Amino acid sequence: MLCWSISAIKLSCHSYPSHAIPSRAMPCSLAGGKRDTDLILPINSSLSVTLHQDQLKTTTTAAASRDFTEDRLWLNGKEADVGHPRVQACLREVRRLARKRRGGGEDAAALSLSYKIHIASENNFPTAAGLASSAAGYACLVSALARLYGLEEELSEVARRGSGSACRSMFGGFVQWQRGERPDGTDSLALQVAPETHWPELRVLVLVVSGEKKPVGSTAGMQTSVETSPLLKHRAEVVVPERLAQMMQHIRDRDFEGFGQLAMRDSNQFHATCLDTFPPIFYLTDVSRHIIALAHRYNAHHGHTKVAYSFDAGPNAVIFALTDTVAEFVEVVRRSFPPATNGDQFVRGMPVGSAVLPPELVAAVLTEPVPGAVQYILHTKPGPGPQLVDDPSQHLLGPDGLPRSRA
Amino acid sequence: MLCWSISAIKLSCHSYPSHAIPSRAMPCSLAGGKRDTDLILPINSSLSVTLHQDQLKTTTTAAASRDFTEDRLWLNGKEADVGHPRVQACLREVRRLARKRRGGGEDAAALSLSYKIHIASENNFPTAAGLASSAAGYACLVSALARLYGLEEELSEVARRGSGSACRSMFGGFVQWQRGERPDGTDSLALQVAPETHWPELRVLVLVVSGEKKPVGSTAGMQTSVETSPLLKHRAEVVVPERLAQMMQHIRDRDFEGFGQLAMRDSNQFHATCLDTFPPIFYLTDVSRHIIALAHRYNAHHGHTKVAYSFDAGPNAVIFALTDTVAEFVEVVRRSFPPATNGDQFVRGMPVGSAVLPPELVAAVLTEPVPGAVQYILHTKPGPGPQLVDDPSQHLLGPDGLPRSRA
């Protein structure tokens, strides 16, 4: 039995059009060119930030053995359907590449392609709450399978077959997913715009407002949006291409004002196209709206963009800020949404210093508090792409090829 | 002293692009033609339904006297600033038309144009809660002033100077506000598409979810939208003209399926452009979203469009339905949002019959109830334009020209 564990990025966290509808898996039938649903081709290019695995991560272990009688899959400890078309697409593509690499002849030293495989995957964060769990999951899956079969090529195109945005999670730092032009999707790939070390002062605060499953899966929602929203078509064809070029420049310049303004505007526009979908899709709740208003009051008080919000397919806010703003804004959030029960675990992830709010800030920014509306804050930063897990004790599958029982 | 009272329409209730941003007062500076802010010219044409005065109304009394020493204004019993630019614009325009009509010579029998005037206006519904209070108010003001000065011409252009959508409230039934082309706005007028008697089965349910003042006035909000929303420009130039033509046809055909679908899609798109505004504007709350989801489940259960929602610049829902649907849907709303205290006043306006919900409807449509989320339901229908109040006891100003003390 060969066994590999990869602890991969969670949250390909979407500095920008990553929140754009088209940045996710998109079966495209817009006027001007139907693209294939199975291939998951986007209607425009997009950008994202990969978050650090120290805070949010998916861990996936893949194993192959002549003793396995069938392919099997466990998600967060429960057996799941390995026949899921997207899992199958990833498996098929990786095996096809492995077969191609070996030139048809069976290499005795290499893992037999006929062996069945076992896969186990776990997130350390709530799934399906708009925290890009499927992006991290499929990036991790493809990376683990690739190591298992000894592949060394760039595999973002394969990860895309699992979940569109997973292709961006194959790289660290700031990543572009190129729309591509070819009908077969072979040029719809991820490219690193800048590594995770490019902007050392950039920090990310995830304000988790709900661990519930979102009512509409992001892929199903996008399909409906493409079919019914007249505004989405305009956004994809006209607005996003301009903004994408601006955003790349802001990132290269480490221009937080430009970066933050555009991140907020584009998050809002993505959610606008969700509302223009029929029936409409709402990911933002009253709590999300409170957070948005708070960010605008905070920036207005300081006279420039100190924090920028961005929301994916769920109510949780992703806040971008520079290191010198984190402690003060976390205190603003704590005062605005006083923690209900888990006061000591309200701030998680990287350490946050303490801050005393000046009275004029309190007067200008704080309003009636909404207790318990924010469950917790996760403090993190841009991070690398999928990493191999060196420590065998962290593998999710035991020597028998079955999930280890968790203590 | 001459005194006229006009009890005018409340709620120019917006079957359709009335909810469109451009259907309201719009200082337009879109690419392709800046239009004058003072003139309140829209960036596209729009349609609305005027609601019946038996349920929602504004009453305005205007009086002129040689004994008055200054122009004065009372709103809902409190003295207000008569110097408000929009009130002044209406006064100035009406006086200019009166002067023009008299050909410069002073007619002894006519009211002297030099007399100061007193105006009192009251709504029987909460102001500034997205129920088109300013539309009804300015339509009523202009109608009362016109009667006072003996004007007989069409005055929607003058009402537009008070509040853009007020021009539509100058007519009953289904009304179009033509965008117009001329820089001076003289062709930006209201036209009746069909009278209030055209579609006798059409009913309107206003679900009042909040009497609070909305956080952003609709005019200020629209100004920001025009300046910052890329999607609004596309909506105004491309989407609305097509939809307007379709909507007029649906109204002419009394096609509820087409009418309802388009009303919902267009309401959603208006709110999408609010979200695309920067900073974003949110009129819909979690309760609004509950109502929207409820309407979609109800229609899905019946297999066609039985109810259609539309939201203006506030969280209150306007529901369109035909007479045969009202009782059942009101019961669905009552079960979904059980009244907190005013159970006996939960349904107001026109009588609503009782209905028993079939078990399969309950199972398919109802979810966890949200007690108290809807304050009350107002049942009404399309109604006429401004009406003269015949009963002198209903005048708001007493013989001394001051507001009557209310018992």
Side-chain angles (χ1 to χ4, degrees):
Chain A
M1 190 180 90
L2 278 167
C3 187
W4 295 93
S5 267
I6 305 254
S7 169
I9 34 148
K10 194 283 109 158
L11 254 213
S12 141
C13 190
H14 320 128
S15 76
Y16 160 74
S18 171
H19 289 281
I21 271 188
S23 75
R24 311 227 196 78
M26 269 292 55
C28 304
S29 53
L30 279 192
K34 182 170 169 59
R35 307 193 77 183
D36 192 288
T37 305
D38 289 339
L39 290 173
I40 308 182
L41 299 176
I43 58 174
N44 59 252
S45 301
S46 59
L47 266 179
S48 70
V49 179
T50 297
L51 297 193
H52 205 286
Q53 302 160 27
D54 284 351
Q55 281 74 45
L56 292 171
K57 70 180 172 197
T58 295
T59 303
T60 300
T61 301
S65 166
R66 69 162 66 82
D67 299 331
F68 294 165
T69 54
E70 54 183 346
D71 291 339
R72 293 177 76 180
L73 172 68
W74 292 264
L75 297 179
N76 295 314
K78 286 190 183 167
E79 182 142 23
D81 178 19
V82 75
H84 190 291
R86 293 174 165 225
V87 173
Q88 285 297 315
C90 291
L91 266 172
R92 190 173 58 240
E93 283 302 299
V94 169
R95 283 172 167 155
R96 187 180 63 79
L97 290 171
R99 196 171 293 117
K100 192 171 154 192
R101 164 176 277 257
R102 295 179 196 173
E106 191 70 23
D107 178 353
L111 178 67
S112 169
L113 283 163
S114 64
Y115 288 177
K116 300 298 180 185
I117 64 157
H118 285 187
I119 301 161
S121 187
E122 285 184 5
N123 297 326
N124 72 341
F125 53 92
T127 48
L131 288 174
S133 52
S134 66
Y138 281 105
C140 213
L141 171 68
V142 169
S143 299
L145 289 173
R147 297 286 191 137
L148 193 66
Y149 288 110
L151 297 177
E152 280 155 19
E153 48 264 72
E154 197 279 293
L155 291 167
S156 70
E157 199 221 322
V158 177
R160 196 200 70 226
R161 306 287 297 271
S163 170
S165 52
C167 73
R168 292 186 309 234
S169 294
M170 297 295 280
F171 294 93
F174 303 86
V175 188
Q176 183 187 9
W177 175 9
Q178 284 193 148
R179 179 189 179 281
E181 300 297 331
R182 292 190 207 129
D184 66 358
T186 49
D187 58 347
S188 188
L189 303 168
L191 299 169
Q192 191 179 59
V193 173
E196 61 269 28
T197 52
H198 168 71
W199 199 346
E201 302 82 15
L202 190 68
R203 290 292 176 275
V204 176
L205 297 166
V206 183
L207 275 50
V208 177
V209 306
S210 167
E212 294 170 59
K213 280 213 169 199
K214 61 199 179 194
V216 179
S218 54
T219 305
M222 274 170 245
Q223 172 66 38
T224 312
S225 293
V226 170
E227 287 164 4
T228 64
S229 169
L231 299 184
L232 174 58
K233 178 169 151 59
H234 180 71
R235 165 171 165 76
E237 290 175 1
V238 178
V239 181
V240 169
E242 282 176 26
R243 287 185 170 180
L244 195 68
Q246 290 167 15
M247 198 63 174
M248 306 249 275
Q249 195 58 49
H250 295 318
I251 290 170
R252 280 186 213 107
D253 298 344
R254 299 184 200 92
D255 168 6
F256 191 80
E257 182 72 30
F259 172 87
Q261 285 276 314
L262 202 44
M264 291 188 280
R265 285 174 194 264
D266 208 68
S267 172
N268 293 337
Q269 190 172 92
F270 161 60
H271 292 280
T273 61
C274 292
L275 223 170
D276 190 45
T277 299
F278 196 78
I281 299 168
F282 296 90
Y283 294 120
L284 305 181
T285 64
D286 284 356
V287 178
S288 314
R289 303 197 294 126
H290 270 106
I291 295 169
I292 288 172
L294 181 67
H296 283 289
R297 288 198 305 275
Y298 184 77
N299 289 337
H301 173 71
H302 282 290
H304 63 112
T305 303
K306 295 268 281 182
V307 295
Y309 55 80
S310 187
F311 293 81
D312 205 322
N316 302 316
V318 171
I319 304 283
F320 294 100
L322 298 180
T323 43
D324 61 6
T325 303
V326 168
E328 186 179 82
F329 191 70
V330 163
E331 187 57 21
V332 164
V333 172
R334 193 200 301 272
R335 296 275 295 269
S336 302
F337 308 101
T341 51
N342 58 345
D344 53 337
Q345 292 183 28
F346 188 63
V347 182
R348 305 181 189 183
M350 297 169 65
V352 174
S354 62
V356 175
L357 304 183
E360 62 274 17
L361 185 151
V362 170
V365 175
L366 299 190
T367 56
E368 189 71 26
V370 187
V374 171
Q375 287 184 27
Y376 63 90
I377 302 174
L378 182 88
H379 180 208
T380 183
K381 63 178 182 178
Q387 302 288 305
L388 191 65
V389 174
D390 289 324
D391 178 0
S393 73
Q394 291 188 30
H395 288 186
L396 301 178
L397 296 171
D400 57 356
L402 297 175
R404 292 173 194 271
S405 60
R406 283 179 289 183
Chain B
M1 189 178 91
L2 279 167
C3 188
W4 295 93
S5 266
I6 305 255
S7 170
I9 34 150
K10 194 284 110 163
L11 255 211
S12 140
C13 193
H14 320 130
S15 75
Y16 158 75
S18 172
H19 288 282
I21 269 189
S23 75
R24 310 227 198 78
M26 268 292 56
C28 306
S29 53
L30 279 192
K34 182 170 167 59
R35 308 194 77 183
D36 192 288
T37 305
D38 289 340
L39 291 174
I40 309 182
L41 298 176
I43 57 174
N44 60 253
S45 300
S46 58
L47 266 180
S48 70
V49 179
T50 297
L51 296 193
H52 205 286
Q53 301 160 28
D54 284 351
Q55 282 74 45
L56 293 170
K57 71 179 169 197
T58 295
T59 303
T60 299
T61 300
S65 167
R66 70 162 64 84
D67 299 331
F68 293 165
T69 55
E70 55 181 347
D71 291 341
R72 293 178 76 181
L73 172 68
W74 292 265
L75 298 178
N76 295 314
K78 287 191 182 166
E79 183 141 21
D81 179 19
V82 76
H84 190 290
R86 292 172 167 227
V87 173
Q88 286 296 313
C90 291
L91 266 173
R92 191 172 56 240
E93 284 301 299
V94 169
R95 283 171 167 156
R96 188 180 63 77
L97 290 172
R99 196 171 293 118
K100 191 170 153 192
R101 163 177 277 257
R102 295 177 197 176
E106 192 70 24
D107 178 351
L111 179 68
S112 170
L113 283 163
S114 63
Y115 288 176
K116 299 298 181 186
I117 65 157
H118 285 187
I119 301 160
S121 188
E122 285 184 5
N123 298 324
N124 72 340
F125 54 90
T127 49
L131 288 174
S133 52
S134 66
Y138 281 105
C140 213
L141 172 68
V142 169
S143 300
L145 290 172
R147 297 286 191 137
L148 192 68
Y149 289 109
L151 298 177
E152 280 154 19
E153 48 265 73
E154 197 280 292
L155 291 166
S156 69
E157 199 220 323
V158 177
R160 195 200 70 225
R161 305 289 296 273
S163 171
S165 51
C167 73
R168 291 185 310 233
S169 294
M170 297 295 279
F171 294 92
F174 303 86
V175 188
Q176 182 188 11
W177 175 9
Q178 284 193 148
R179 179 189 181 280
E181 299 296 333
R182 294 191 206 128
D184 67 356
T186 50
D187 59 347
S188 187
L189 304 168
L191 298 170
Q192 192 180 59
V193 174
E196 60 270 28
T197 52
H198 168 71
W199 199 346
E201 302 81 16
L202 190 67
R203 290 293 176 273
V204 176
L205 298 166
V206 183
L207 275 48
V208 177
V209 307
S210 168
E212 293 170 59
K213 281 213 167 200
K214 61 197 179 195
V216 178
S218 54
T219 305
M222 274 170 243
Q223 172 66 40
T224 311
S225 293
V226 170
E227 288 164 2
T228 64
S229 169
L231 300 184
L232 175 57
K233 179 170 152 57
H234 180 70
R235 164 170 166 76
E237 291 175 1
V238 178
V239 180
V240 169
E242 280 175 27
R243 288 186 171 180
L244 195 67
Q246 290 168 14
M247 198 63 174
M248 306 250 274
Q249 195 57 51
H250 294 320
I251 290 170
R252 281 188 210 105
D253 297 344
R254 298 184 200 92
D255 168 7
F256 190 80
E257 183 72 30
F259 171 88
Q261 285 276 315
L262 202 44
M264 292 188 281
R265 284 174 193 264
D266 208 69
S267 172
N268 293 338
Q269 190 172 91
F270 160 61
H271 291 281
T273 62
C274 293
L275 223 170
D276 190 45
T277 298
F278 196 77
I281 299 168
F282 295 90
Y283 294 120
L284 305 180
T285 64
D286 284 355
V287 178
S288 314
R289 304 196 293 125
H290 270 107
I291 295 168
I292 288 172
L294 182 67
H296 282 289
R297 287 197 306 273
Y298 184 76
N299 289 337
H301 173 71
H302 282 290
H304 63 112
T305 303
K306 295 269 281 180
V307 295
Y309 55 81
S310 185
F311 294 80
D312 205 321
N316 302 315
V318 171
I319 303 283
F320 295 99
L322 298 180
T323 44
D324 61 6
T325 304
V326 168
E328 186 180 82
F329 191 70
V330 163
E331 186 58 22
V332 165
V333 172
R334 192 200 302 273
R335 295 274 295 268
S336 301
F337 308 100
T341 51
N342 58 345
D344 52 338
Q345 292 183 28
F346 188 63
V347 182
R348 305 180 188 182
M350 298 168 67
V352 174
S354 62
V356 174
L357 304 182
E360 62 276 17
L361 187 152
V362 170
V365 175
L366 299 189
T367 55
E368 189 71 26
V370 187
V374 171
Q375 286 184 26
Y376 63 90
I377 302 175
L378 182 88
H379 181 207
T380 182
K381 63 179 181 177
Q387 302 289 304
L388 191 64
V389 174
D390 291 323
D391 178 359
S393 74
Q394 291 189 28
H395 288 186
L396 301 178
L397 296 171
D400 57 355
L402 297 174
R404 293 173 193 271
S405 60
R406 283 179 288 183

